[in-house]
Amino acid sequence: MSEMKTGGQIIWESLIAEGVEVVFGLPGGAILPAYDDLAKYEYPIHHVLVTHEQGAAHMADGYARSTGRVGVCIATSGPGATNLVTGLATAYMDSTPIVAITGQVPTSLLGRDGFQEADIQGVTLPVTKHNYLITNIRDLPDALKEAFYIARTGRPGPVLVDVCKDALQASMPFTYPSKVNLPGYNPNLNTPDGTAVARAARLVNEAQRPVIVAGQGVSIARAEAELRQLAEKANIPVATSLLGIGAFPATHPLSISWGGMHGEAYCNYALQECDVLLAVGARLDDRLTGAFDTFAPKAKIIHVDIDPAEMGKNITIDTAVIGDALLALRALLPQVEANEHPAWLEQIAEWKSETSYRDILQQESDELVAPYVMRSLWHATGEGNGRATVVTDVGQHQMWEAQYYHHNRRRSLLTSGGLGTMGYALPAAIGAQMGNPDQEIWVVAGDGGFQMTMMELSTVVQERLPIKIAIINNGYLGMVRQWQDVFYNKRHSGTPLFNPDFVKIAEAYGIRGRSVTRREEAYDAIKEAQAHDGPYLLDFQVEEFTNVYPMVAPGKSNADMIRRPAPAMGSGK
Amino acid sequence: MTENITKRHTLIAWMEDKPGVLNRVAGLFGRRNFNIESLAVGHSETPGISRMTFVARGTDRDMRQVRTQLDKLINVTRIEDVTYNDPVMRELALIKVQATSEERAEVMQLVDIFRAQIVDVTLDSLIIQIVGKENQVNSLIELLSNFGIIEMVRTGRVAMVRGAASQTGVVDTAVPVNGNGHH
């Protein structure tokens, strides 16, 4: 016999049935019945009170990316729900599984512009994998079951369940469904088509200059080991997308770093010159490819992805392998022959050494430049093999982190790639730390983006999280300034920042901090932050005008990179 | 290669008859920048499943995008491009024409030639109903425009593939599932 449960109880008990241990949220009128049930029945779910609902969505995102589980956020109707939208859009672009639960005005007020009413189902239609508006409690259990299933299967993504207040207050006999019935949903869980796999293997075997591009799909599928086996078996160099960083060890001899707009030059050369390109779990977006019709012009392209809509969306491909990266790589492995490709690897090594020669750390003066901070952080945190996870914001610092911090461990970099959401880092890091209490979590954020969500420092303190924060403070919206430098005749319109004293901001929350202005201090400051038992903020006041290179202008070919300047004679260290 | 030729394609989509499903489909067309010329939707033979015929302009590759993106909508159960299956395609139009008693005979002659019907008559107007292929409908409209079209409504194309093989949007997919992080 099923017991009578309220809508609020059904939400918490469904979450428990899904194994949810932590939710990120902020209460308000329409969601109050659910919050009341959480306290009344003392459900074993830890609720993290956020400062702003955008933070709740990013926390659920950071939790999900770092654990592989579904992140859950919860908000009230109207502004509570609309504040989630940036976080949901971020998760949607980067295929992150989130279930967002929002309260909605009672059904009697729906459509009447009631207080705190917003059509959040309508608003989130383009930024969720699916969404629900629950006007009757009888639809709630199935919707929750389906929401979790849809969020985590196939290509993951955020799902929103909007529940009217009267449905939260109503009661019905409740047992959590054991099945979903979704006739229109095909998550492509089967092994990919054998003919496609065979064709892909043949192309790889015939290749003289093959390259693998590994995307986040490899990490979502936990296929890192298979990827490595494949690369090693046939000696194929591996590039990653920005989100694919960590899917292949960056210090592996076959790693060719990551490609695209600010990817390493030798990687872009390899992508442009390869004759077979095997993309695995990467959606080949414009930041990776440059102008679509100029990407990998000499290559037969094999695209492995779980989402059939990615096939040929941006890039004309030769072979589509539709399926989970793990199943696809397992199917490919026995059919791909051992190979050496010595001439190709030698050519890439040559490009690589030329790239290293232009390394900014070889040529800058004693000034504190951001790449130096990133490299110091890398040294201090086990050189990519430690238990540190870096969560970046968006902008110049994000690119330098990706260039100068070599990630060897899966999921050791969390970053907003697709939507490019400034303000992501701090809340996402909170989510990551909640899901991984033993990890060393580093926020790397610019001075602009950090200020977009820095009020979540209160959440850091409230939850007693030992998060370490490195602000790369150059007094500008740096990446925007860089575009102005390159494309807008150096008119710095709206980009200089009026910053607070970040150390004092930290202190106001009871967080220790210090500013760093000199190169010699950087490493020690990082060690000091690590040694401190609790959160710590470092304000790195870096050289202002350094820009990120290489750079591919939007709409241009990766072959037309603006390179790092070659070092002047005698300036190397 | 037909791959790169831009032409009109006829697609049929089956979807669960749930609130907001049209909104999802229309929203997708808009944000993916798909070029949709007409769209007709109504019940199918299966209770709870609606059937939409729509006409989209683009290359075969564009249509693959239309199909695969639409197919990702959870409520869309099936989608097919029937352009190359020589389907039966029809459209219905109601055309209100200005026609004095002197002109009426001439209009009725046209109606006969097109096997259309007059479904309403007043002293100075007629409503004509035509069911046919779009080019027939277009021709009639063009001819009637000489008399003065007061108003007009077209349903947009509906299509069905010939032969006994049935096309339905019904798929049974009940899947047992458990727990966060597992399939």
Side-chain angles (χ1 to χ4, degrees):
Chain A
M1 279 298 288
S2 310
E3 269 185 80
M4 294 293 284
K5 300 282 160 120
T6 66
Q9 286 180 282
I10 287 172
I11 288 177
W12 300 116
E13 294 186 18
S14 302
L15 262 50
I16 290 165
E18 292 290 344
V20 174
E21 291 163 356
V22 55
V23 303
F24 306 92
L26 195 145
I31 195 71
L32 263 177
Y35 271 82
D36 191 49
D37 285 337
L38 176 63
K40 192 166 160 192
Y41 297 99
E42 297 178 352
Y43 287 117
I45 288 185
H46 181 69
H47 175 265
V48 175
L49 174 63
V50 303
T51 315
H52 184 289
E53 291 88 347
Q54 182 187 345
H58 290 323
M59 288 176 206
D61 180 311
Y63 179 90
R65 291 193 207 197
S66 62
T67 62
R69 297 153 65 89
V70 179
V72 180
C73 56
I74 182 160
T76 194
S77 64
T82 56
N83 278 347
L84 292 176
V85 171
T86 300
L88 294 175
T90 305
Y92 185 62
M93 281 289 254
D94 289 350
S95 310
T96 307
I98 286 180
V99 170
I101 295 164
T102 49
Q104 180 54 281
V105 299
T107 46
S108 59
L109 280 176
L110 259 190
R112 296 170 190 240
D113 304 322
F115 178 64
Q116 293 194 329
E117 178 179 2
D119 171 16
I120 198 62
Q121 191 190 25
V123 169
T124 58
L125 218 56
V127 296
T128 52
K129 190 172 170 187
H130 195 52
N131 60 18
Y132 295 85
L133 168 62
I134 303 300
T135 55
N136 190 317
I137 188 174
R138 66 159 190 260
D139 298 327
L140 186 57
D142 281 342
L144 290 165
K145 182 84 195 173
E146 289 169 16
F148 276 90
Y149 181 68
I150 291 169
R152 72 169 176 260
T153 52
R155 178 177 180 174
V159 180
L160 177 129
V161 185
D162 191 28
V163 192
C164 285
K165 189 174 186 178
D166 49 327
L168 291 173
Q169 290 165 320
S171 298
M172 68 178 272
F174 170 68
T175 38
Y176 194 54
S178 57
K179 285 181 182 172
V180 292
N181 190 10
L182 293 162
Y185 180 53
N186 175 13
N188 294 311
L189 301 178
N190 299 325
T191 300
D193 173 60
T195 321
V197 171
R199 193 174 140 77
R202 200 179 69 234
L203 286 174
V204 170
N205 291 337
E206 286 166 359
Q208 304 293 312
R209 304 185 308 278
V211 165
I212 294 172
V213 173
Q216 189 194 205
V218 173
S219 289
I220 292 172
R222 294 179 181 270
E224 289 91 352
E226 285 74 8
L227 172 69
R228 188 171 168 165
Q229 284 168 38
L230 186 83
E232 288 175 351
K233 183 176 182 185
N235 270 296
I236 304 174
V238 181
T240 70
S241 65
L242 181 69
L243 289 190
I245 287 175
F248 191 78
T251 57
H252 191 286
L254 286 169
S255 166
I256 56 168
S257 188
W258 55 284
M261 185 174 273
H262 295 293
E264 292 294 352
Y266 72 98
C267 181
N268 281 338
Y269 289 139
L271 293 175
Q272 291 309 102
E273 292 300 318
C274 66
D275 65 350
V276 168
L277 188 145
L278 171 62
V280 186
R283 66 189 170 85
L284 304 178
D285 84 309
D286 61 279
R287 282 299 186 269
L288 171 68
T289 63
F292 293 142
D293 54 0
T294 66
F295 178 65
K298 301 171 183 175
K300 298 255 190 242
I301 296 179
I302 306 158
H303 199 174
V304 180
D305 204 284
I306 199 162
D307 181 356
E310 290 303 337
M311 300 300 156
K313 185 181 78 178
N314 292 346
I315 298 292
T316 308
I317 59 169
D318 294 274
T319 298
V321 179
I322 296 166
D324 178 86
L326 181 66
L327 298 178
L329 287 169
R330 278 189 185 155
L332 271 170
L333 252 173
Q335 297 186 43
V336 167
E337 294 157 7
N339 223 319
E340 297 296 333
H341 307 298
W344 176 229
L345 293 178
E346 197 175 312
Q347 167 68 77
I348 290 174
E350 207 171 288
W351 287 326
K352 186 174 179 179
S353 89
E354 192 264 354
T355 293
S356 307
Y357 166 71
R358 290 174 184 249
D359 189 326
I360 194 166
L361 295 182
Q362 298 296 318
Q363 53 181 297
E364 293 295 329
S365 62
D366 294 338
E367 280 183 295
L368 182 64
V369 290
Y372 185 81
V373 178
M374 302 306 169
R375 188 50 58 80
S376 302
L377 184 63
W378 181 69
H379 286 309
T381 52
E383 306 198 336
N385 297 313
R387 56 195 182 92
T389 293
V390 183
V391 189
T392 78
D393 223 76
V394 170
Q396 288 183 316
H397 72 276
Q398 178 191 31
M399 298 296 106
W400 282 318
E401 198 284 344
Q403 289 178 348
Y404 287 90
Y405 192 111
H406 301 310
H407 291 269
N408 284 340
R409 186 170 57 76
R410 72 183 301 275
R411 290 301 197 189
S412 60
L413 169 63
L414 309 182
T415 192
S416 167
L419 199 67
T421 307
M422 289 171 68
Y424 174 80
L426 178 62
I430 292 170
Q433 186 82 81
M434 290 300 299
N436 304 273
D438 298 335
Q439 275 183 21
E440 179 184 343
I441 305 286
W442 275 90
V443 169
V444 172
D447 42 336
F450 185 70
Q451 292 186 72
M452 289 188 178
T453 52
M454 69 179 174
M455 64 286 203
E456 300 301 343
L457 286 174
S458 68
T459 312
V460 171
V461 176
Q462 168 194 286
E463 299 297 326
R464 301 169 192 274
L465 302 175
I467 291 175
K468 316 299 178 190
I469 299 161
I471 297 177
I472 306 304
N473 181 353
N474 67 354
Y476 280 91
L477 296 170
M479 186 57 91
V480 189
R481 201 257 343 263
Q482 172 164 348
W483 281 48
Q484 291 171 333
D485 287 347
V486 180
F487 307 120
Y488 295 92
N489 208 19
K490 302 192 177 179
R491 271 184 299 280
H492 295 165
S493 172
T495 44
L497 292 173
F498 184 81
N499 283 334
D501 181 332
F502 289 108
V503 174
K504 282 193 174 148
I505 293 271
E507 282 167 0
Y509 286 95
I511 295 173
R512 295 257 307 260
R514 70 179 265 198
S515 60
V516 182
T517 53
R518 290 180 308 127
R519 211 178 246 232
E520 311 81 79
E521 294 174 83
Y523 184 83
D524 291 344
I526 292 165
K527 292 310 267 184
E528 187 180 310
Q530 287 176 312
H532 178 67
D533 181 22
Y536 204 102
L537 182 145
L538 295 171
D539 176 17
F540 288 99
Q541 297 174 7
V542 297
E543 197 285 321
E544 303 169 80
F545 292 108
T546 312
N547 283 339
V548 182
Y549 296 104
M551 181 184 196
V552 179
K556 288 277 169 46
S557 164
N558 284 348
D560 301 331
M561 275 173 289
I562 307 167
R563 298 290 310 274
R564 286 185 196 116
M569 290 294 284
S571 75
K573 296 212 315 176
Chain B
M1 287 262 297
T2 57
E3 177 80 354
N4 297 319
I5 297 167
T6 293
K7 56 179 283 195
R8 300 166 89 201
H9 289 247
T10 305
L11 295 99
I12 304 174
W14 289 261
M15 55 201 71
E16 293 176 281
D17 181 14
K18 291 198 168 165
V21 65
L22 266 183
N23 206 0
R24 291 181 198 278
V25 173
L28 181 76
F29 287 157
R31 76 174 172 275
R32 292 278 174 195
N33 205 15
F34 295 151
N35 191 348
I36 304 300
E37 295 195 349
S38 81
L39 186 158
V41 63
H43 296 299
S44 72
E45 73 290 346
T46 314
I49 298 286
S50 301
R51 176 169 170 148
M52 174 189 285
T53 310
F54 61 97
V55 178
R57 183 174 274 284
T59 63
D60 285 1
R61 179 172 161 181
D62 294 335
M63 290 311 115
R64 259 203 308 279
Q65 261 299 293
V66 172
R67 275 193 288 114
T68 51
Q69 292 290 357
L70 261 185
D71 206 23
K72 276 166 67 170
L73 295 179
I74 307 292
N75 298 131
V76 172
T77 57
R78 186 175 171 193
I79 174 147
E80 285 216 4
D81 185 346
V82 296
T83 309
Y84 302 109
N85 299 7
D86 185 30
V88 176
M89 299 191 286
R90 292 294 181 271
E91 183 176 18
L92 182 148
L94 295 175
I95 309 150
K96 187 183 281 179
V97 181
Q98 211 155 6
T100 56
S101 44
E102 302 89 76
E103 292 167 323
R104 200 171 292 151
E106 209 178 327
V107 171
M108 285 170 72
Q109 210 176 358
L110 283 174
V111 166
D112 273 350
I113 294 169
F114 280 85
R115 284 189 224 121
Q117 276 180 286
I118 292 170
V119 292
D120 183 67
V121 187
T122 69
L123 277 178
D124 46 13
S125 78
L126 298 166
I127 296 179
I128 295 151
Q129 169 192 302
I130 177 169
V131 176
K133 295 179 183 164
E134 276 151 287
N135 53 7
Q136 291 173 312
V137 177
N138 290 342
S139 307
L140 180 61
I141 289 169
E142 201 184 317
L143 289 164
L144 290 175
S145 65
N146 296 320
F147 299 91
I149 293 175
I150 300 168
E151 58 175 309
M152 177 180 87
V153 58
R154 300 174 71 155
T155 57
R157 184 186 293 181
V158 292
M160 189 174 281
V161 173
R162 296 162 206 273
S166 77
Q167 289 191 303
T168 69
V170 190
V171 197
D172 180 26
T173 57
V175 198
V177 284
N178 56 25
N180 194 352
H182 311 283
H183 288 318

